[in-house]
Amino acid sequence: MQINELPPEEVYTELNSSQNGLTSKDAEKRFESYGPNQIEEVKKKPVIFKFLANLYQLLALLLWAASALAFLSGTPQLGFAIIAVIIINAIFSFWQEYKAEQALEALKKILPSQAKVIRNGQKTEILAADLVPGDLLVLEEGDNISADARLVEANQMKVDSSTLTGESKPVRKVAHAKKSADKSLIGTPNIVFAGTSVSAGSGKAIIFATGQKTEFNQIASLTQEVSQETSPLQKELARVTRIIAVIAVLLGVTLFAVNLWVVKLPLQTAFIFAIGLTVANVPEGLLPTVTLALAASVQKMVRKNALIKRLSSVETLGSTNIICTDKTGTLTKNEMTVRKIWLPYEIIDVTGAGYSPEGEFLHKGKQIDHREIRELQLLMRSATFCNDSKLIEPADENKWKIIGDPTEAALLVAAKKSGFNWEEELTKTPRIIELPFDSQRKSMSSIHNDKGKQVAYVKGAPKKIIGLSNTISVDGEVKEFSEEFKNKIITKHDELAALGLRILAMAYRDLPTSYDNYRVDAVECDLTFLGMVAMQDPPRPEVKPAVDDCHRAGIRIIMITGDYGLTADAIAREVGIVSDEPCRIIKGKELNQMTDDEVKEVLVSGENVIFARAVPEHKMRIAGILEGMDEIVAMTGDGVNDAPALRKADIGVAMGITGTDVAKEASDMILTDDNFATIVAAIKEGRTIYENIRKFITYIFSHETAEIVPFVMMVLFRIPLPITVMQILAIDLGTDTVPALALGVGPSESDVMDRPPRAREERLLNFGVIFRGYIFLGIIEAALVMSGFFWILISSGWTWGQQLSFSDPVYLKATSMVFAGIVLAQMGNLLGCQTSRTSVFKVGLFKNKWILRGIAFSVAVLLAIIYIPPLQGIFQTAALGVYDWLYLITFVPIMFFADEVRKYFIRNE
């Protein structure tokens, strides 16, 4: 018989397992036999192909053409030099891209896939890679299934098998024996497979296949590597590259024509000058530096607890202008503590904090336990029986570790404080079936066998449970639950909610002994109301400053929560999302009755709004409406049903601690600390990286102007060429490489969160970047280096119109002055380009540790080319004197303070 045809109790025997799962010793032996639970890695593009790709990208093709022209013009040494540049640049680009790829691969290991299993009779979490055949999987809504397994228990369970079958609709699963129409088990309702996920309900399953033996591996091994989509930034960089290439070719062709037909230079000389101007316009390090800057930014975000899954998300973060956030765990600590328990006519205070065993139940100032009040005993049953979380006993920290939902864990902690031993009670009153929590109906039920009779224990949203109840337990007696009494309890509920407390209601129902109609609507009706539990989840202390940052940065925060409106409003006011002005609270039912235009009108109005008692479908709808308004939205989520909204939003943000596997897969960013402040920190980093790329472009543009102007002046004023092609190459791929990287990984400016979000349509290469780089800084730098050129010529007795040979000592010293002048001017430029608007003195002149490294590298390369004889011959340089250096050093403060003056006027305009 196949595994699917066996009844659940025989499956344990077939797979040498038990209801207590495997022992640790058995698991170790099986791991040695079966190996890790990992599928075969998809073949990646060979490394050599990745390297070769750098030899035929657009800018490289332009250099190949320049090299070919150099050979045609009879200057093979220049041709070989340009080829060397192409290869060096390819190596440089490949290494940076490789490092970036390695960094992203390392990120995948930060949040390894986990699985819940029963081992040694205890529920525990292990790495999915450590699963072995015979392990008893515990499956809950939102879990990814990490191995092929046979269900032995299923509670209203549905599985999304789209990754395996292509079927988009979740499939209902059962635990009883089921025959298959063919040998394939894929369509069998009592089998679950690796690569699928639980979309609803819960269950347990015994693993029969792991790793390469799974059905998912059979399919995955046939697939090829999926190409990554091109991000908006990559498209923008491709556009910039095309523009630069066109400019370089046009200028080169124009200079060639002018030199040949106007200046009447020899063909070979005209070719060399045209090649030089073309090469001067090619920013060889642009693409690899941007890639490395993005990867460095992603790694920096990881250190701040934000795991970015794709590089393109970094740039989108910088444009985000709306954050749609949940409340629990994101704005709050997600350390639920039961503070008050309301029973009919009684209030019980609960002391202690978090998941600590310290604390007690106080009734009228006196310590009590659950046995003293019948309703409290029944309420503790409902709170702990309707519960799938687990407490692991405190070790050194005097604090329980929890597995499962924090709210349910808080109920277990409260039960411990009251003296209620639910583990012992569950042995006497075993669970028959569970009706899992559902965000639509906002309740959960657990049906138990209590001495031969069936009892349904229910917990959920207070107003929902009150509405389902027709009786109430008062002083041990079940009484009619009148509308008047219901309204009094709702009033009390609102008073507690206004204090920022989260509230759950508890109830129960005695079912007939032979009852087997376990539909939700049949079980959750005619309930006996027991009371309410009020829990406190204090706001995270770092959230309020983060909210203040959002207000200053022009980022709107919209709270979308499944919690009660008054509770949400209290927390929103405490953290500063809502200030003293009125706030409109739109409940889920009201939202259902509103048209999209009406919702849009509320959002456009700019009034404070909170969406309460919202379900995941509401998040999806709101994200769609905001998208239609052309807003850039970051949406938080943690549940399986949040996945569509996370995909819909520009930035889907999943919770790393409480989030389901499905939500994490659907997201663009995972918060490893579930903290709202981390979102804001990521947005800040997103803004910073975009600005850093602009700073880098500004930096390279300014020296390109200084390299182009000498060629223009040579044509217009018939002077010797002030800089050689080899010297240009030494700057572009020598002295400027490390400083450019320094700007790419620089820190945030102090006012980066004082500016409005960047518009979606704003170009990377806009007029401001072009003006600052090519025109303002470029012209100043060109003027400085040309002054140095003429200073050497005139002081050496040169007269206007006099031509010098390329080997003339005066000419070699003059070009060396231009070469060194560009390098020194770029150092001042480097210091100034650290900020776009803020004064560098406010940020810190050398706060970025790479700045000093970049300067040291540039100085070392410069001195080597100026003073080492073999390099002097290659780059056509000559040694400079002390007075020459004193003149050149002034270029550093001139460039730096020129940009500081520009920033001053920008800040004060």
Side-chain angles (χ1 to χ4, degrees):
M1 293 178 71
Q2 287 188 299
I3 194 73
N4 57 296
E5 297 175 355
L6 298 173
E9 55 274 11
E10 291 183 22
V11 176
Y12 290 105
T13 306
E14 178 70 17
L15 295 172
N16 296 317
S17 187
S18 72
Q19 294 184 5
N20 290 324
L22 299 176
T23 64
S24 299
K25 193 173 181 180
D26 283 339
E28 287 176 13
K29 287 181 179 178
R30 297 189 189 199
F31 187 84
E32 290 175 5
S33 299
Y34 295 100
N37 178 35
Q38 296 172 339
I39 65 170
E40 293 177 16
E41 283 198 21
V42 178
K43 290 184 179 179
K44 296 181 179 180
K45 184 189 291 185
V47 172
I48 186 64
F49 290 161
K50 292 182 180 181
F51 169 74
L52 292 175
N54 290 290
L55 298 177
Y56 55 80
Q57 48 100 350
L58 183 58
L59 295 182
L61 292 175
L62 202 59
L63 291 175
W64 280 116
S67 173
L69 290 172
F71 282 110
L72 289 174
S73 66
T75 52
Q77 68 275 17
L78 179 58
F80 284 121
I82 295 175
I83 290 174
V85 166
I86 296 170
I87 294 172
I88 291 169
N89 188 52
I91 294 170
F92 180 67
S93 300
F94 167 74
W95 178 248
Q96 298 214 63
E97 289 166 6
Y98 176 76
K99 292 293 288 183
E101 186 179 286
Q102 291 295 105
L104 293 178
E105 286 293 323
L107 296 182
K108 296 177 183 177
K109 300 176 183 177
I110 292 175
L111 282 179
S113 182
Q114 301 277 334
K116 293 186 282 289
V117 296
I118 304 292
R119 280 192 181 174
N120 302 311
Q122 297 291 321
K123 179 180 176 182
T124 186
E125 281 191 359
I126 64 171
L127 292 174
D130 293 339
L131 291 172
V132 294
D135 259 327
L136 181 55
L137 273 177
V138 179
L139 301 172
E140 296 170 357
E141 182 179 306
D143 286 351
N144 276 346
I145 300 169
S146 303
D148 293 355
R150 162 63 201 273
L151 285 164
V152 290
E153 183 181 311
N155 301 310
Q156 307 289 312
M157 190 172 174
K158 290 184 179 180
V159 169
D160 179 358
S161 301
S162 56
T163 52
L164 203 62
T165 65
E167 175 61 49
S168 60
K169 190 176 179 181
V171 178
R172 182 171 291 280
K173 292 292 182 178
V174 297
H176 55 264
K178 203 81 175 176
K179 286 193 175 183
S180 177
D182 53 42
K183 291 185 177 180
S184 172
L185 298 176
I186 289 181
T188 310
N190 60 10
I191 303 291
V192 292
F193 297 95
T196 62
S197 59
V198 183
S199 58
S202 61
K204 293 179 182 177
I206 305 180
I207 295 173
F208 62 82
T210 59
Q212 298 180 24
K213 299 292 184 181
T214 62
E215 289 287 339
F216 187 73
N217 183 75
Q218 310 304 316
I219 296 173
S221 62
L222 299 176
T223 63
Q224 298 299 314
E225 182 180 10
V226 179
S227 59
Q228 292 185 340
E229 61 174 299
T230 305
S231 76
L233 180 59
Q234 289 169 324
K235 293 175 183 176
E236 178 71 2
L237 285 171
R239 188 184 76 89
V240 171
T241 301
R242 288 194 297 271
I243 291 172
I244 292 173
V246 170
I247 291 172
V249 171
L250 287 176
L251 286 176
V253 170
T254 302
L255 183 68
F256 175 76
V258 171
N259 279 333
L260 190 63
W261 290 301
V262 178
V263 184
K264 305 296 184 180
L265 289 178
L267 179 65
Q268 181 185 27
T269 306
F271 256 131
I272 293 172
F273 289 166
I275 291 167
L277 186 60
T278 302
V279 171
N281 272 282
V282 177
E284 292 87 352
L286 176 63
L287 299 179
T289 301
V290 169
T291 302
L292 190 66
L294 284 171
S297 180
V298 167
Q299 289 180 304
K300 192 185 295 182
M301 289 188 192
V302 169
R303 292 193 290 271
K304 295 179 179 178
N305 301 310
L307 176 58
I308 305 295
K309 292 172 61 180
R310 49 187 73 89
L311 287 180
S312 59
S313 301
V314 177
E315 65 206 77
T316 309
L317 278 166
S319 300
T320 300
N321 60 357
I322 290 181
I323 301 175
C324 294
T325 179
D326 200 350
K327 176 185 71 68
T328 304
T330 311
L331 299 174
T332 60
K333 291 183 177 180
N334 208 22
E335 290 185 359
M336 290 286 184
T337 304
V338 175
R339 288 297 180 202
K340 294 181 183 293
I341 295 177
W342 183 91
L343 302 172
Y345 308 114
E346 305 285 355
I347 285 280
I348 296 171
D349 294 307
V350 184
T351 65
Y355 304 117
S356 168
E358 296 179 358
E360 55 191 14
F361 276 41
L362 299 176
H363 180 232
K364 297 178 181 179
K366 179 185 174 184
Q367 184 178 354
I368 62 168
D369 73 13
H370 69 281
R371 290 181 291 268
E372 296 181 38
I373 303 175
R374 182 175 183 274
E375 284 73 28
L376 180 58
Q377 185 173 15
L378 289 171
L379 184 140
M380 285 294 104
R381 276 195 165 204
S382 184
T384 56
F385 288 7
C386 275
N387 201 311
D388 290 320
S389 64
K390 180 179 175 58
L391 299 180
I392 298 176
E393 290 295 333
D396 298 331
E397 298 181 3
N398 198 29
K399 179 180 177 182
W400 277 294
K401 180 184 175 184
I402 69 168
I403 297 177
D405 181 70
T407 302
E408 291 189 344
L411 296 174
L412 296 184
V413 172
K416 286 273 190 184
K417 292 174 183 177
S418 75
F420 183 76
N421 189 335
W422 70 87
E423 287 111 334
E424 183 180 327
E425 290 291 326
L426 279 171
T427 60
K428 301 174 185 176
T429 316
R431 177 186 281 179
I432 299 171
I433 193 171
E434 173 192 310
L435 303 180
F437 175 81
D438 181 87
S439 59
Q440 291 285 349
R441 76 177 204 275
K442 299 187 185 302
S443 59
M444 171 186 180
S445 294
S446 185
I447 301 167
H448 293 255
N449 185 340
D450 189 359
K451 298 175 182 177
K453 66 177 182 178
Q454 295 189 53
V455 181
Y457 294 96
V458 186
K459 80 170 191 293
K463 288 188 177 180
K464 174 67 183 290
I465 301 301
I466 289 170
L468 294 173
S469 302
N470 56 14
T471 57
I472 183 170
S473 182
V474 182
D475 295 332
E477 183 181 344
V478 175
K479 297 182 178 181
E480 181 185 351
F481 201 7
S482 67
E483 287 300 318
E484 180 183 1
F485 203 173
K486 288 182 179 182
N487 290 331
K488 285 182 179 180
I489 295 175
I490 290 172
T491 300
K492 187 63 183 177
H493 165 268
D494 289 351
E495 290 175 5
L496 294 170
L499 298 174
L501 298 175
R502 187 180 189 189
I503 305 161
L504 288 176
M506 309 292 166
Y508 76 98
R509 179 188 173 197
D510 290 321
L511 300 174
T513 303
S514 58
Y515 194 84
D516 60 0
N517 183 12
Y518 297 127
R519 292 196 335 268
V520 169
D521 57 345
V523 172
E524 293 182 356
C525 61
D526 300 330
L527 304 178
T528 298
F529 190 80
L530 292 169
M532 298 182 293
V533 177
M535 289 168 279
Q536 181 187 44
D537 185 13
R540 296 176 183 266
E542 60 271 28
V543 167
K544 196 173 192 315
V547 170
D548 292 339
D549 284 344
C550 287
H551 290 324
R552 290 200 325 276
I555 300 170
R556 186 180 180 188
I557 303 170
I558 300 173
M559 187 189 291
I560 307 174
T561 177
D563 221 331
Y564 192 58
L566 290 176
T567 304
D569 182 71
I571 294 295
R573 292 182 186 279
E574 191 171 349
V575 299
I577 293 175
V578 176
S579 52
D580 295 333
E581 64 267 19
C583 176
R584 181 171 179 182
I585 299 173
I586 299 177
K587 297 178 182 176
K589 287 184 180 179
E590 181 184 354
L591 183 59
N592 290 335
Q593 295 168 359
M594 297 172 70
T595 65
D596 285 359
D597 287 338
E598 288 172 334
V599 177
K600 183 177 179 180
E601 188 177 332
V602 172
L603 295 171
V604 169
S605 69
E607 66 177 309
N608 290 316
V609 61
I610 292 173
F611 294 94
R613 288 297 185 215
V615 296
E617 290 76 9
H618 292 146
K619 286 186 176 182
M620 174 73 171
R621 184 184 174 197
I622 293 166
I625 293 170
L626 289 169
E627 183 183 50
M629 295 165 60
D630 206 30
E631 307 287 2
I632 300 178
V633 182
M635 175 76 73
T636 67
D638 55 10
V640 61
N641 292 330
D642 286 329
L646 294 176
R647 291 192 183 98
K648 183 74 173 174
D650 296 282
I651 293 287
V653 184
M655 303 298 112
I657 300 173
T658 60
T660 60
D661 295 332
V662 174
K664 291 174 188 174
E665 285 189 358
S667 67
D668 303 292
M669 178 170 76
I670 299 172
L671 306 182
T672 57
D673 61 353
D674 290 10
N675 194 338
F676 176 84
T678 302
I679 304 174
V680 181
I683 290 175
K684 182 178 180 180
E685 189 61 35
R687 291 187 175 193
T688 299
I689 188 60
Y690 206 84
E691 287 299 312
N692 283 350
I693 292 171
R694 279 184 167 169
K695 292 169 190 174
F696 162 71
I697 292 174
T698 300
Y699 177 78
I700 61 172
F701 276 6
S702 58
H703 81 68
E704 284 186 4
T705 301
E707 292 169 354
I708 293 168
V709 166
F711 286 91
V712 175
M713 292 192 69
M714 179 200 71
V715 173
L716 294 178
F717 302 110
R718 305 294 179 91
I719 62 174
L721 180 63
I723 190 169
T724 68
V725 177
M726 292 301 292
Q727 289 167 358
I728 289 173
L729 294 176
I731 293 168
D732 291 359
L733 278 175
T735 60
D736 259 6
T737 51
V738 177
L741 285 175
L743 290 175
V745 297
S748 304
E749 293 185 39
S750 58
D751 69 341
V752 72
M753 292 300 281
D754 293 333
R755 311 171 200 165
R758 189 182 74 249
R760 190 192 294 266
E761 64 276 4
E762 185 178 337
R763 294 287 193 181
L764 179 68
L765 187 60
N766 59 15
F767 175 75
V769 175
I770 293 172
F771 176 81
R772 184 186 179 193
Y774 265 130
I775 301 173
F776 180 73
L777 293 172
I779 289 175
I780 294 173
E781 186 170 322
L784 288 172
V785 300
M786 289 309 299
S787 73
F789 179 71
F790 286 117
W791 185 62
I792 292 293
L793 290 181
I794 292 171
S795 65
S796 301
W798 175 83
T799 57
W800 202 270
Q802 179 185 351
Q803 292 299 314
L804 300 173
S805 70
F806 291 148
S807 59
D808 190 305
V810 174
Y811 176 74
L812 293 176
K813 188 173 182 181
T815 58
S816 299
M817 195 74 171
V818 174
F819 169 64
I822 291 177
V823 175
L824 268 294
Q826 283 295 89
M827 290 181 192
N829 196 13
L830 174 66
L831 295 173
C833 280
Q834 291 183 81
T835 61
S836 301
R837 292 165 49 92
T838 311
S839 171
V840 175
F841 293 110
K842 193 171 182 180
V843 173
L845 200 59
F846 299 109
K847 183 179 179 180
N848 180 357
K849 61 184 180 181
W850 280 96
I851 294 294
L852 280 175
R853 295 174 185 175
I855 291 174
F857 177 81
S858 294
V859 169
V861 174
L862 171 62
L863 294 177
I865 290 174
I866 293 290
Y867 289 108
I868 296 176
L871 295 180
Q872 287 178 330
I874 295 172
F875 293 98
Q876 293 176 283
T877 60
L880 297 175
V882 174
Y883 291 108
D884 301 328
W885 286 112
L886 290 175
Y887 186 87
L888 289 170
I889 288 171
T890 63
F891 292 5
V892 178
I894 291 172
M895 291 298 298
F896 174 73
F897 284 108
D899 204 37
E900 282 291 293
V901 171
R902 180 196 64 83
K903 293 175 207 170
Y904 173 80
F905 283 110
I906 287 178
R907 292 195 302 272
N908 291 279
E909 64 181 2

